[in-house]
């Protein structure tokens, strides 16, 4: 064999190995994508677990606060606060109250002034 002929021949048959290289590259990319998505799913799962724990803690805090609200808004607690002077109550003056009489007959018999407040109701509770 001449020296020139040997130079033109490939030592490794690239034509037969190139499909295998392509298959190996595709498998490598697929495996790397699978590992990436699996890691991402695990990270999201941990994040969801932390958020669910925070939600349950917040619900427990809300329940505790709701109990405190109920205790502090009871009649006895409010009366105690009034006696302590923490809550200041002012009695409502009589001229600030609006008295409503029942029945249409009571409205018809009253002499109504122009600036007087009058109750308005449908007769018998029916809508017109």
């Amino acid at each position: 064999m001449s020296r020139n002929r040997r130079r033109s021949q490939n030592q490794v048959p690239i034509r037969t190995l190139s499909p295998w290289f392509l298959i190996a590259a595709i498998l490598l990319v697929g495996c790397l994508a699978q590992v990436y998505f699996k890691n991402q799913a695990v990270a999201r799962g941990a994040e969801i677990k932390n958020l669910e724990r925070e939600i349950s803690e917040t619900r427990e805090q809300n329940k505790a606060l709701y109990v405190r609200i109920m205790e502090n808004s009871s009649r006895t607690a409010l009366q105690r606060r009034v006696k302590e002077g923490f809550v200041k109550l002012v009695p409502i003056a009589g001229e600030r109250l609006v008295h409503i009489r029942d029945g249409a007959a009571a409205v018809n018999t009253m002499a109504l002034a122009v600036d007087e407040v009058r109750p308005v109701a449908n007769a018998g509770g029916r809508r017109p």
Side-chain angles (χ1 to χ4, degrees):
M1 261 198 220
S2 76
R3 206 171 171 107
N4 288 338
R5 187 173 183 149
R6 184 163 188 165
R7 283 188 190 171
S8 66
Q9 290 181 345
N10 292 329
Q11 296 293 326
V12 179
I14 299 220
R15 190 174 282 186
T16 58
L17 291 178
S18 61
W20 293 107
F21 286 138
L22 184 61
I23 291 171
I26 290 172
L27 286 175
L28 179 68
V29 169
C31 291
L32 288 176
Q34 182 183 7
V35 168
Y36 172 75
F37 289 130
K38 186 69 170 181
N39 286 339
Q40 193 175 28
V42 169
R44 295 292 182 246
E47 184 179 347
I48 288 171
K49 184 177 178 181
N50 289 337
L51 290 174
E52 287 175 348
R53 182 181 40 79
E54 287 179 19
I55 288 172
S56 66
E57 289 174 358
T58 304
R59 284 185 179 154
E60 292 299 320
Q61 290 174 356
N62 283 346
K63 285 180 185 178
L65 290 174
Y66 183 73
V67 168
R68 286 186 58 203
I69 287 171
M70 289 317 224
E71 289 173 355
N72 290 332
S73 63
S74 68
R75 183 172 177 85
T76 56
L78 290 175
Q79 286 175 345
R80 187 185 68 231
R81 292 290 192 151
V82 168
K83 287 179 185 176
E84 291 173 356
F86 184 76
V87 177
K88 304 288 185 196
L89 295 178
V90 178
I92 300 173
E95 67 266 4
R96 301 280 182 177
L97 293 177
V98 176
H99 298 281
I100 299 176
R101 296 182 185 168
D102 250 356
V107 173
N108 291 336
T109 59
M110 291 189 304
L112 299 175
V114 176
D115 60 346
E116 188 174 350
V117 176
R118 297 186 305 171
V120 177
N122 292 333
R126 293 178 296 213
R127 292 185 179 189

